[in-house]
């Protein structure tokens, strides 16, 4: 049946994406269209993910429009994959537009949406910090902070999100602040540089550590 054919193609595309074989995944997707098999929401979602893996941001974004032409509304997974593709392609404006488009279509961004958008805006401290605070307001990343004692735990964050979190924290005075970065050397170095550059504006002690101790 047509439905079983779609399911088989979906399984094949998904397997290729998970194996990192995005070109093969794209090839299978293209063959479904050539055979006249109408993709469903799963097909589109994994195809967008495949283009994202391959850094093909334009095709990833175009697929969202193709979904609508087929009367299929993009779901959060398709949006997240497209935003990730824009991040990898250095297209921060597109990533921001997709984030806004999600909300306009009744889909609330999640932590993955915000993480990818923040990463896309990593070179723009003001914009990425604004996005981080928007995410916190939506209930994401708020576990980063504890008030007593004042601590920030960055170990479960991507580097761009971690930098945005620290930037927001350092924008307000703290008597004491401990920032836990984990063992990632590159992240720790960038956080140390941020702290060093702002200590003159802080009345207390800011400590950067690898762990909770």
């Amino acid at each position: 049946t047509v439905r079983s054919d779609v399911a088989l193609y979906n399984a094949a595309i998904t397997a290729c994406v998970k194996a990192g074989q995005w070109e093969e995944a794209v090839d299978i997707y293209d063959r479904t269209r050539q055979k006249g098999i109408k993709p469903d929401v799963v097909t589109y979602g994994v195809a967008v993910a495949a283009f994202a893996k391959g850094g093909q941001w334009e095709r990833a974004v175009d697929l969202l429009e193709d979904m609508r032409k087929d009367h299929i509304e993009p779901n959060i997974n398709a949006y997240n994959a497209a935003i990730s593709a824009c991040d990898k392609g250095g297209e921060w404006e597109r990533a921001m537009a997709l984030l806004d488009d999600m909300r306009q279509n009744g889909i609330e961004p999640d932590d993955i949406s915000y993480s990818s958008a923040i990463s896309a805006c990593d070179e723009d401290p003001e914009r990425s910090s604004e996005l981080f605070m928007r995410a916190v307001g939506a209930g994401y990343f708020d576990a980063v902070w504890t008030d007593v004692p004042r601590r920030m735990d960055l170990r479960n964050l991507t580097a761009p999100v971690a930098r945005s979190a620290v930037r927001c924290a350092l924008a307000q005075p703290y008597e004491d602040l401990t920032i836990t970065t984990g063992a990632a050397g590159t992240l720790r170095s960038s956080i140390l540089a941020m702290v060093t550059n702002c200590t003159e504006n802080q009345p207390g002690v800011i400590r950067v550590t690898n762990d909770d101790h």
Side-chain angles (χ1 to χ4, degrees):
T1 64
V2 173
R3 180 172 294 180
S4 62
D5 286 344
V6 173
L8 286 171
Y9 278 112
N10 290 348
I13 297 171
T14 300
C16 290
V17 171
K18 289 183 177 179
Q21 299 171 341
W22 70 269
E23 291 175 313
E24 181 65 23
V26 168
D27 182 61
I28 295 172
Y29 168 76
D30 287 339
R31 290 206 301 269
T32 66
R33 303 312 304 254
Q34 292 166 6
K35 290 176 179 287
I37 298 173
K38 185 177 179 179
D40 61 12
V41 66
V42 176
T43 316
Y44 275 118
V46 292
V48 174
F51 287 125
K53 291 280 187 182
Q56 305 293 308
W57 70 269
E58 290 176 302
R59 289 200 67 181
V61 172
D62 286 345
L63 276 187
L64 298 184
E65 187 58 35
D66 289 345
M67 291 179 76
R68 294 190 176 97
K69 289 177 181 177
D70 279 341
H71 307 291
I72 300 173
E73 281 302 313
N75 59 18
I76 192 166
N77 293 329
Y79 270 113
N80 284 349
I83 294 172
S84 175
C86 292
D87 169 29
K88 291 180 174 66
E91 295 290 327
W92 68 267
E93 290 176 309
R94 292 275 186 162
M96 291 291 293
L98 288 173
L99 200 66
D100 291 337
D101 190 55
M102 290 176 70
R103 299 177 70 94
Q104 291 170 8
N105 284 283
I107 300 176
E108 286 299 318
D110 61 9
D111 58 330
I112 297 173
S113 318
Y114 283 116
S115 291
S116 294
I118 289 169
S119 179
C121 298
D122 196 29
E123 297 298 319
D124 186 334
E126 184 175 346
R127 195 178 303 276
S128 60
S129 296
E130 177 190 347
L131 271 176
F132 177 79
M133 292 310 298
R134 191 194 302 182
V136 170
Y140 301 108
F141 309 134
D142 53 347
V144 169
W145 283 293
T146 58
D147 288 331
V148 184
R150 283 283 190 179
R151 288 184 179 274
M152 294 186 69
D153 190 342
L154 310 178
R155 287 174 295 180
N156 294 323
L157 303 181
T158 64
V161 174
R163 284 190 287 270
S164 296
V166 172
R167 195 177 294 116
C168 291
L170 297 180
Q172 49 188 312
Y174 285 117
E175 291 184 3
D176 295 292
L177 176 63
T178 298
I179 302 172
T180 303
T181 62
T186 303
L187 174 60
R188 179 174 168 77
S189 297
S190 63
I191 298 303
L192 281 169
M194 292 172 67
V195 169
T196 300
N197 290 334
C198 80
T199 49
E200 61 184 24
N201 299 320
Q202 293 290 342
V205 175
I206 301 175
R207 179 170 173 259
V208 179
T209 180
N210 289 334
D211 52 38
D212 287 329
H213 304 297

